[in-house]
mmCIF file of all heavy atoms in Angstrom:
data_model
loop_
_atom_site.group_PDB
_atom_site.id
_atom_site.type_symbol
_atom_site.label_atom_id
_atom_site.label_comp_id
_atom_site.label_asym_id
_atom_site.label_seq_id
_atom_site.Cartn_x
_atom_site.Cartn_y
_atom_site.Cartn_z
ATOM 1 N N ASN A 20 90.113 82.503 110.481
ATOM 2 C CA ASN A 20 89.215 81.387 110.789
ATOM 3 C C ASN A 20 88.421 80.948 109.564
ATOM 4 O O ASN A 20 87.757 79.912 109.594
ATOM 5 C CB ASN A 20 88.246 81.770 111.909
ATOM 6 C CG ASN A 20 88.951 81.925 113.244
ATOM 7 O OD1 ASN A 20 90.017 81.362 113.457
ATOM 8 N ND2 ASN A 20 88.361 82.694 114.146
ATOM 9 N N LEU A 21 88.454 81.765 108.504
ATOM 10 C CA LEU A 21 87.778 81.385 107.267
ATOM 11 C C LEU A 21 88.661 80.362 106.560
ATOM 12 O O LEU A 21 89.657 80.710 105.924
ATOM 13 C CB LEU A 21 87.556 82.624 106.383
ATOM 14 C CG LEU A 21 86.770 83.772 107.035
ATOM 15 C CD1 LEU A 21 86.726 84.973 106.116
ATOM 16 C CD2 LEU A 21 85.368 83.326 107.402
ATOM 17 N N GLU A 22 88.307 79.089 106.692
ATOM 18 C CA GLU A 22 89.151 78.026 106.176
ATOM 19 C C GLU A 22 88.318 76.800 105.852
ATOM 20 O O GLU A 22 87.155 76.679 106.258
ATOM 21 C CB GLU A 22 90.232 77.664 107.206
ATOM 22 C CG GLU A 22 89.672 77.242 108.540
ATOM 23 C CD GLU A 22 90.741 77.046 109.600
ATOM 24 O OE1 GLU A 22 91.917 77.241 109.300
ATOM 25 O OE2 GLU A 22 90.380 76.686 110.732
ATOM 26 N N THR A 23 88.904 75.896 105.085
ATOM 27 C CA THR A 23 88.288 74.601 104.837
ATOM 28 C C THR A 23 88.884 73.607 105.828
ATOM 29 O O THR A 23 89.682 73.971 106.686
ATOM 30 C CB THR A 23 88.567 74.138 103.393
ATOM 31 O OG1 THR A 23 89.970 73.925 103.248
ATOM 32 C CG2 THR A 23 88.117 75.190 102.386
ATOM 33 N N GLU A 24 88.522 72.361 105.686
ATOM 34 C CA GLU A 24 89.046 71.351 106.599
ATOM 35 C C GLU A 24 90.545 71.134 106.401
ATOM 36 O O GLU A 24 91.235 70.662 107.301
ATOM 37 C CB GLU A 24 88.295 70.024 106.395
ATOM 38 C CG GLU A 24 86.825 70.085 106.819
ATOM 39 C CD GLU A 24 86.129 68.749 106.626
ATOM 40 O OE1 GLU A 24 86.779 67.822 106.095
ATOM 41 O OE2 GLU A 24 84.954 68.637 106.998
ATOM 42 N N THR A 25 91.028 71.480 105.205
ATOM 43 C CA THR A 25 92.431 71.167 104.892
ATOM 44 C C THR A 25 93.284 72.373 104.551
ATOM 45 O O THR A 25 94.501 72.238 104.394
ATOM 46 C CB THR A 25 92.491 70.190 103.699
ATOM 47 O OG1 THR A 25 91.852 70.807 102.578
ATOM 48 C CG2 THR A 25 91.797 68.886 104.034
ATOM 49 N N ASP A 26 92.681 73.569 104.439
ATOM 50 C CA ASP A 26 93.473 74.669 103.904
ATOM 51 C C ASP A 26 92.999 76.013 104.444
ATOM 52 O O ASP A 26 91.822 76.188 104.789
ATOM 53 C CB ASP A 26 93.354 74.685 102.368
ATOM 54 C CG ASP A 26 94.520 75.395 101.712
ATOM 55 O OD1 ASP A 26 95.443 75.807 102.437
ATOM 56 O OD2 ASP A 26 94.506 75.545 100.478
ATOM 57 N N LYS A 27 93.948 76.957 104.528
ATOM 58 C CA LYS A 27 93.627 78.335 104.852
ATOM 59 C C LYS A 27 93.139 79.028 103.588
ATOM 60 O O LYS A 27 93.787 78.956 102.545
ATOM 61 C CB LYS A 27 94.861 79.062 105.392
ATOM 62 C CG LYS A 27 95.360 78.552 106.739
ATOM 63 C CD LYS A 27 94.445 78.980 107.864
ATOM 64 C CE LYS A 27 95.012 78.579 109.224
ATOM 65 N NZ LYS A 27 94.065 78.922 110.320
ATOM 66 N N LEU A 28 92.011 79.718 103.678
ATOM 67 C CA LEU A 28 91.419 80.349 102.509
ATOM 68 C C LEU A 28 92.063 81.691 102.179
ATOM 69 O O LEU A 28 91.932 82.172 101.051
ATOM 70 C CB LEU A 28 89.912 80.542 102.706
ATOM 71 C CG LEU A 28 89.067 79.264 102.739
ATOM 72 C CD1 LEU A 28 87.612 79.602 102.994
ATOM 73 C CD2 LEU A 28 89.213 78.484 101.445
ATOM 74 N N ILE A 29 92.736 82.314 103.144
ATOM 75 C CA ILE A 29 93.344 83.617 102.903
ATOM 76 C C ILE A 29 94.718 83.669 103.562
ATOM 77 O O ILE A 29 94.893 83.213 104.704
ATOM 78 C CB ILE A 29 92.444 84.765 103.424
ATOM 79 C CG1 ILE A 29 93.035 86.134 103.048
ATOM 80 C CG2 ILE A 29 92.193 84.662 104.908
ATOM 81 C CD1 ILE A 29 92.070 87.286 103.283
ATOM 82 N N GLN A 30 95.687 84.187 102.827
ATOM 83 C CA GLN A 30 97.055 84.357 103.344
ATOM 84 C C GLN A 30 97.235 85.828 103.708
ATOM 85 O O GLN A 30 97.017 86.702 102.865
ATOM 86 C CB GLN A 30 98.086 83.938 102.298
ATOM 87 C CG GLN A 30 97.800 82.592 101.639
ATOM 88 C CD GLN A 30 97.582 81.480 102.636
ATOM 89 O OE1 GLN A 30 98.391 81.278 103.539
ATOM 90 N NE2 GLN A 30 96.483 80.754 102.485
ATOM 91 N N ILE A 31 97.591 86.097 104.947
ATOM 92 C CA ILE A 31 97.662 87.466 105.444
ATOM 93 C C ILE A 31 99.115 87.818 105.761
ATOM 94 O O ILE A 31 99.782 87.137 106.546
ATOM 95 C CB ILE A 31 96.791 87.644 106.704
ATOM 96 C CG1 ILE A 31 95.333 87.299 106.366
ATOM 97 C CG2 ILE A 31 96.881 89.069 107.235
ATOM 98 C CD1 ILE A 31 94.399 87.296 107.565
ATOM 99 N N VAL A 32 99.605 88.883 105.117
ATOM 100 C CA VAL A 32 100.984 89.343 105.311
ATOM 101 C C VAL A 32 100.951 90.669 106.063
ATOM 102 O O VAL A 32 100.372 91.653 105.581
ATOM 103 C CB VAL A 32 101.709 89.525 103.959
ATOM 104 C CG1 VAL A 32 103.156 89.953 104.193
ATOM 105 C CG2 VAL A 32 101.647 88.246 103.130
ATOM 106 N N LEU A 33 101.520 90.700 107.252
ATOM 107 C CA LEU A 33 101.618 91.916 108.058
ATOM 108 C C LEU A 33 103.024 92.491 107.898
ATOM 109 O O LEU A 33 104.010 91.820 108.209
ATOM 110 C CB LEU A 33 101.337 91.616 109.533
ATOM 111 C CG LEU A 33 99.951 91.035 109.862
ATOM 112 C CD1 LEU A 33 99.858 90.697 111.344
ATOM 113 C CD2 LEU A 33 98.855 92.011 109.473
ATOM 114 N N VAL A 34 103.109 93.720 107.401
ATOM 115 C CA VAL A 34 104.397 94.368 107.161
ATOM 116 C C VAL A 34 104.455 95.648 107.979
ATOM 117 O O VAL A 34 103.516 96.450 107.955
ATOM 118 C CB VAL A 34 104.580 94.698 105.661
ATOM 119 C CG1 VAL A 34 105.941 95.326 105.415
ATOM 120 C CG2 VAL A 34 104.403 93.460 104.807
ATOM 121 N N GLY A 35 105.539 95.855 108.711
ATOM 122 C CA GLY A 35 105.610 97.060 109.530
ATOM 123 C C GLY A 35 106.987 97.276 110.122
ATOM 124 O O GLY A 35 107.936 96.524 109.867
ATOM 125 N N GLN A 36 107.079 98.305 110.922
ATOM 126 C CA GLN A 36 108.320 98.643 111.609
ATOM 127 C C GLN A 36 108.471 97.766 112.857
ATOM 128 O O GLN A 36 107.531 97.060 113.228
ATOM 129 C CB GLN A 36 108.313 100.132 111.940
ATOM 130 C CG GLN A 36 108.351 101.001 110.686
ATOM 131 C CD GLN A 36 107.937 102.422 110.923
ATOM 132 O OE1 GLN A 36 108.036 102.934 112.033
ATOM 133 N NE2 GLN A 36 107.446 103.083 109.869
ATOM 134 N N PRO A 37 109.645 97.776 113.518
ATOM 135 C CA PRO A 37 109.876 96.866 114.651
ATOM 136 C C PRO A 37 108.822 96.961 115.759
ATOM 137 O O PRO A 37 108.639 96.007 116.516
ATOM 138 C CB PRO A 37 111.253 97.299 115.158
ATOM 139 C CG PRO A 37 111.944 97.847 113.950
ATOM 140 C CD PRO A 37 110.867 98.542 113.168
ATOM 141 N N GLU A 38 108.124 98.103 115.827
ATOM 142 C CA GLU A 38 107.068 98.236 116.841
ATOM 143 C C GLU A 38 105.965 97.194 116.659
ATOM 144 O O GLU A 38 105.254 96.861 117.608
ATOM 145 C CB GLU A 38 106.464 99.645 116.785
ATOM 146 C CG GLU A 38 107.382 100.756 117.288
ATOM 147 C CD GLU A 38 108.444 101.146 116.280
ATOM 148 O OE1 GLU A 38 108.362 100.683 115.116
ATOM 149 O OE2 GLU A 38 109.355 101.913 116.637
ATOM 150 N N LEU A 39 105.828 96.675 115.447
ATOM 151 C CA LEU A 39 104.818 95.638 115.199
ATOM 152 C C LEU A 39 105.123 94.392 116.010
ATOM 153 O O LEU A 39 104.219 93.786 116.605
ATOM 154 C CB LEU A 39 104.770 95.312 113.702
ATOM 155 C CG LEU A 39 103.889 94.132 113.299
ATOM 156 C CD1 LEU A 39 102.434 94.406 113.648
ATOM 157 C CD2 LEU A 39 104.036 93.837 111.801
ATOM 158 N N GLU A 40 106.400 94.005 116.055
ATOM 159 C CA GLU A 40 106.795 92.822 116.820
ATOM 160 C C GLU A 40 106.478 93.000 118.305
ATOM 161 O O GLU A 40 105.978 92.085 118.970
ATOM 162 C CB GLU A 40 108.290 92.565 116.621
ATOM 163 C CG GLU A 40 108.829 91.342 117.335
ATOM 164 C CD GLU A 40 108.346 90.050 116.706
ATOM 165 O OE1 GLU A 40 108.076 90.037 115.493
ATOM 166 O OE2 GLU A 40 108.220 89.058 117.449
ATOM 167 N N LYS A 41 106.749 94.217 118.828
ATOM 168 C CA LYS A 41 106.454 94.484 120.238
ATOM 169 C C LYS A 41 104.955 94.432 120.504
ATOM 170 O O LYS A 41 104.507 93.911 121.527
ATOM 171 C CB LYS A 41 107.008 95.855 120.625
ATOM 172 C CG LYS A 41 108.521 95.970 120.518
ATOM 173 C CD LYS A 41 108.995 97.390 120.821
ATOM 174 C CE LYS A 41 110.509 97.525 120.628
ATOM 175 N NZ LYS A 41 110.960 98.928 120.839
ATOM 176 N N LYS A 42 104.184 94.977 119.566
ATOM 177 C CA LYS A 42 102.730 94.994 119.750
ATOM 178 C C LYS A 42 102.166 93.581 119.749
ATOM 179 O O LYS A 42 101.279 93.234 120.545
ATOM 180 C CB LYS A 42 102.079 95.836 118.653
ATOM 181 C CG LYS A 42 100.577 96.012 118.798
ATOM 182 C CD LYS A 42 100.040 97.070 117.840
ATOM 183 C CE LYS A 42 100.413 98.470 118.286
ATOM 184 N NZ LYS A 42 99.740 99.519 117.484
ATOM 185 N N LEU A 43 102.686 92.729 118.866
ATOM 186 C CA LEU A 43 102.184 91.356 118.773
ATOM 187 C C LEU A 43 102.551 90.516 119.991
ATOM 188 O O LEU A 43 101.926 89.479 120.247
ATOM 189 C CB LEU A 43 102.729 90.690 117.508
ATOM 190 C CG LEU A 43 102.179 91.224 116.180
ATOM 191 C CD1 LEU A 43 102.946 90.616 115.010
ATOM 192 C CD2 LEU A 43 100.688 90.936 116.043
ATOM 193 N N SER A 44 103.564 90.954 120.749
ATOM 194 C CA SER A 44 103.976 90.193 121.935
ATOM 195 C C SER A 44 103.106 90.492 123.155
ATOM 196 O O SER A 44 103.307 89.898 124.214
ATOM 197 C CB SER A 44 105.444 90.496 122.260
ATOM 198 O OG SER A 44 105.606 91.865 122.620
ATOM 199 N N ARG A 45 102.123 91.404 123.005
ATOM 200 C CA ARG A 45 101.223 91.694 124.124
ATOM 201 C C ARG A 45 100.394 90.451 124.466
ATOM 202 O O ARG A 45 100.020 89.675 123.583
ATOM 203 C CB ARG A 45 100.282 92.842 123.769
ATOM 204 C CG ARG A 45 100.962 94.184 123.578
ATOM 205 C CD ARG A 45 99.917 95.245 123.284
ATOM 206 N NE ARG A 45 100.517 96.559 123.053
ATOM 207 C CZ ARG A 45 99.821 97.666 122.801
ATOM 208 N NH1 ARG A 45 98.502 97.614 122.762
ATOM 209 N NH2 ARG A 45 100.444 98.807 122.602
ATOM 210 N N PRO A 46 100.078 90.277 125.761
ATOM 211 C CA PRO A 46 99.310 89.087 126.178
ATOM 212 C C PRO A 46 97.974 88.950 125.455
ATOM 213 O O PRO A 46 97.573 87.842 125.090
ATOM 214 C CB PRO A 46 99.117 89.310 127.686
ATOM 215 C CG PRO A 46 100.248 90.192 128.085
ATOM 216 C CD PRO A 46 100.504 91.083 126.925
ATOM 217 N N GLU A 47 97.281 90.081 125.228
ATOM 218 C CA GLU A 47 95.954 89.986 124.599
ATOM 219 C C GLU A 47 96.017 89.593 123.129
ATOM 220 O O GLU A 47 94.988 89.285 122.520
ATOM 221 C CB GLU A 47 95.196 91.316 124.748
ATOM 222 C CG GLU A 47 95.814 92.498 124.006
ATOM 223 C CD GLU A 47 96.769 93.307 124.865
ATOM 224 O OE1 GLU A 47 97.359 92.701 125.783
ATOM 225 O OE2 GLU A 47 96.908 94.519 124.618
ATOM 226 N N LEU A 48 97.236 89.617 122.546
ATOM 227 C CA LEU A 48 97.383 89.243 121.134
ATOM 228 C C LEU A 48 98.148 87.924 120.973
ATOM 229 O O LEU A 48 98.633 87.620 119.886
ATOM 230 C CB LEU A 48 98.109 90.354 120.366
ATOM 231 C CG LEU A 48 97.358 91.677 120.220
ATOM 232 C CD1 LEU A 48 98.240 92.722 119.553
ATOM 233 C CD2 LEU A 48 96.069 91.491 119.429
ATOM 234 N N ARG A 49 98.227 87.145 122.048
ATOM 235 C CA ARG A 49 99.030 85.923 121.979
ATOM 236 C C ARG A 49 98.457 84.912 120.980
ATOM 237 O O ARG A 49 99.200 84.163 120.346
ATOM 238 C CB ARG A 49 99.156 85.292 123.368
ATOM 239 C CG ARG A 49 97.856 84.843 124.006
ATOM 240 C CD ARG A 49 98.101 84.327 125.427
ATOM 241 N NE ARG A 49 96.882 83.879 126.068
ATOM 242 C CZ ARG A 49 96.004 84.690 126.662
ATOM 243 N NH1 ARG A 49 96.239 86.002 126.699
ATOM 244 N NH2 ARG A 49 94.919 84.212 127.218
ATOM 245 N N GLN A 50 97.104 84.887 120.821
ATOM 246 C CA GLN A 50 96.529 83.938 119.855
ATOM 247 C C GLN A 50 96.984 84.266 118.434
ATOM 248 O O GLN A 50 97.331 83.372 117.659
ATOM 249 C CB GLN A 50 95.005 83.968 119.938
ATOM 250 C CG GLN A 50 94.449 83.397 121.229
ATOM 251 C CD GLN A 50 92.936 83.257 121.172
ATOM 252 O OE1 GLN A 50 92.395 82.574 120.321
ATOM 253 N NE2 GLN A 50 92.236 83.938 122.079
ATOM 254 N N LEU A 51 96.980 85.548 118.095
ATOM 255 C CA LEU A 51 97.448 85.957 116.777
ATOM 256 C C LEU A 51 98.944 85.682 116.635
ATOM 257 O O LEU A 51 99.402 85.155 115.607
ATOM 258 C CB LEU A 51 97.168 87.449 116.554
ATOM 259 C CG LEU A 51 97.789 88.087 115.302
ATOM 260 C CD1 LEU A 51 97.318 87.370 114.046
ATOM 261 C CD2 LEU A 51 97.452 89.572 115.230
ATOM 262 N N ASN A 52 99.709 86.021 117.664
ATOM 263 C CA ASN A 52 101.163 85.834 117.621
ATOM 264 C C ASN A 52 101.524 84.370 117.393
ATOM 265 O O ASN A 52 102.472 84.053 116.671
ATOM 266 C CB ASN A 52 101.779 86.340 118.918
ATOM 267 C CG ASN A 52 103.240 86.703 118.763
ATOM 268 O OD1 ASN A 52 103.700 87.014 117.667
ATOM 269 N ND2 ASN A 52 103.988 86.639 119.848
ATOM 270 N N GLN A 53 100.756 83.480 117.997
ATOM 271 C CA GLN A 53 101.040 82.051 117.853
ATOM 272 C C GLN A 53 100.707 81.530 116.460
ATOM 273 O O GLN A 53 101.240 80.508 116.023
ATOM 274 C CB GLN A 53 100.253 81.255 118.904
ATOM 275 C CG GLN A 53 100.741 81.481 120.329
ATOM 276 C CD GLN A 53 99.775 80.949 121.376
ATOM 277 O OE1 GLN A 53 98.746 80.355 121.043
ATOM 278 N NE2 GLN A 53 100.100 81.159 122.646
ATOM 279 N N ARG A 54 99.839 82.237 115.735
ATOM 280 C CA ARG A 54 99.436 81.771 114.403
ATOM 281 C C ARG A 54 100.422 82.203 113.314
ATOM 282 O O ARG A 54 100.333 81.735 112.191
ATOM 283 C CB ARG A 54 98.041 82.301 114.057
ATOM 284 C CG ARG A 54 96.948 81.689 114.896
ATOM 285 C CD ARG A 54 95.588 81.954 114.299
ATOM 286 N NE ARG A 54 94.524 81.430 115.128
ATOM 287 C CZ ARG A 54 93.256 81.357 114.766
ATOM 288 N NH1 ARG A 54 92.902 81.792 113.572
ATOM 289 N NH2 ARG A 54 92.339 80.860 115.572
ATOM 290 N N ILE A 55 101.331 83.117 113.648
ATOM 291 C CA ILE A 55 102.293 83.578 112.652
ATOM 292 C C ILE A 55 103.409 82.545 112.545
ATOM 293 O O ILE A 55 104.216 82.372 113.463
ATOM 294 C CB ILE A 55 102.861 84.953 113.033
ATOM 295 C CG1 ILE A 55 101.737 85.988 113.100
ATOM 296 C CG2 ILE A 55 103.921 85.400 112.028
ATOM 297 C CD1 ILE A 55 102.169 87.350 113.612
ATOM 298 N N THR A 56 103.450 81.852 111.419
ATOM 299 C CA THR A 56 104.403 80.752 111.250
ATOM 300 C C THR A 56 105.639 81.148 110.444
ATOM 301 O O THR A 56 106.645 80.444 110.474
ATOM 302 C CB THR A 56 103.713 79.561 110.549
ATOM 303 O OG1 THR A 56 103.142 80.019 109.319
ATOM 304 C CG2 THR A 56 102.606 78.996 111.427
ATOM 305 N N VAL A 57 105.567 82.263 109.717
ATOM 306 C CA VAL A 57 106.720 82.723 108.937
ATOM 307 C C VAL A 57 107.022 84.161 109.347
ATOM 308 O O VAL A 57 106.153 85.033 109.258
ATOM 309 C CB VAL A 57 106.442 82.651 107.422
ATOM 310 C CG1 VAL A 57 107.640 83.185 106.638
ATOM 311 C CG2 VAL A 57 106.136 81.223 106.999
ATOM 312 N N ARG A 58 108.230 84.402 109.821
ATOM 313 C CA ARG A 58 108.633 85.747 110.255
ATOM 314 C C ARG A 58 109.983 86.092 109.637
ATOM 315 O O ARG A 58 110.827 85.220 109.433
ATOM 316 C CB ARG A 58 108.775 85.833 111.782
ATOM 317 C CG ARG A 58 107.537 85.488 112.574
ATOM 318 C CD ARG A 58 107.851 85.531 114.065
ATOM 319 N NE ARG A 58 106.785 84.999 114.873
ATOM 320 C CZ ARG A 58 105.822 85.725 115.435
ATOM 321 N NH1 ARG A 58 105.824 87.033 115.258
ATOM 322 N NH2 ARG A 58 104.883 85.161 116.157
ATOM 323 N N TYR A 59 110.165 87.382 109.374
ATOM 324 C CA TYR A 59 111.472 87.841 108.899
ATOM 325 C C TYR A 59 111.654 89.306 109.280
ATOM 326 O O TYR A 59 110.743 90.118 109.091
ATOM 327 C CB TYR A 59 111.609 87.691 107.382
ATOM 328 C CG TYR A 59 113.034 87.892 106.907
ATOM 329 C CD1 TYR A 59 113.905 86.811 106.826
ATOM 330 C CD2 TYR A 59 113.512 89.150 106.570
ATOM 331 C CE1 TYR A 59 115.229 86.977 106.413
ATOM 332 C CE2 TYR A 59 114.826 89.334 106.156
ATOM 333 C CZ TYR A 59 115.681 88.249 106.086
ATOM 334 O OH TYR A 59 116.974 88.416 105.693
ATOM 335 N N HIS A 60 112.831 89.614 109.831
ATOM 336 C CA HIS A 60 113.173 91.005 110.137
ATOM 337 C C HIS A 60 114.181 91.484 109.098
ATOM 338 O O HIS A 60 115.300 90.949 109.007
ATOM 339 C CB HIS A 60 113.753 91.135 111.543
ATOM 340 C CG HIS A 60 114.121 92.555 111.890
ATOM 341 N ND1 HIS A 60 113.178 93.524 112.128
ATOM 342 C CD2 HIS A 60 115.334 93.158 112.023
ATOM 343 C CE1 HIS A 60 113.790 94.670 112.388
ATOM 344 N NE2 HIS A 60 115.098 94.465 112.327
ATOM 345 N N LEU A 61 113.773 92.460 108.304
ATOM 346 C CA LEU A 61 114.623 92.978 107.229
ATOM 347 C C LEU A 61 115.660 93.932 107.806
ATOM 348 O O LEU A 61 115.314 94.975 108.360
ATOM 349 C CB LEU A 61 113.765 93.684 106.185
ATOM 350 C CG LEU A 61 114.485 94.238 104.960
ATOM 351 C CD1 LEU A 61 115.191 93.122 104.204
ATOM 352 C CD2 LEU A 61 113.502 94.965 104.048
ATOM 353 N N ARG A 62 116.906 93.580 107.653
ATOM 354 C CA ARG A 62 118.007 94.414 108.163
ATOM 355 C C ARG A 62 118.572 95.292 107.053
ATOM 356 O O ARG A 62 118.319 95.066 105.875
ATOM 357 C CB ARG A 62 119.109 93.530 108.763
ATOM 358 C CG ARG A 62 118.662 92.796 110.024
ATOM 359 C CD ARG A 62 119.738 91.847 110.528
ATOM 360 N NE ARG A 62 119.346 91.252 111.803
ATOM 361 C CZ ARG A 62 118.521 90.220 111.915
ATOM 362 N NH1 ARG A 62 117.987 89.672 110.830
ATOM 363 N NH2 ARG A 62 118.213 89.731 113.096
ATOM 364 N N SER A 63 119.330 96.271 107.458
ATOM 365 C CA SER A 63 119.968 97.154 106.470
ATOM 366 C C SER A 63 121.048 96.390 105.699
ATOM 367 O O SER A 63 121.485 95.310 106.111
ATOM 368 C CB SER A 63 120.571 98.369 107.164
ATOM 369 O OG SER A 63 121.484 97.958 108.169
ATOM 370 N N MET A 64 121.474 96.966 104.579
ATOM 371 C CA MET A 64 122.463 96.307 103.726
ATOM 372 C C MET A 64 123.853 96.345 104.359
ATOM 373 O O MET A 64 124.187 97.291 105.069
ATOM 374 C CB MET A 64 122.506 96.983 102.355
ATOM 375 C CG MET A 64 121.226 96.830 101.557
ATOM 376 S SD MET A 64 121.341 97.480 99.860
ATOM 377 C CE MET A 64 121.384 99.239 100.181
#
């Protein structure tokens, strides 16, 4: 929420295991989940 009228003041990168995706899908975290605009799941080679 720390932002100007035109820009986000801080870029936050959440890195974790697949359990992070499950945790973010909880109803009480839907506001945060909706704010994540770039996602990537790193697969094995």
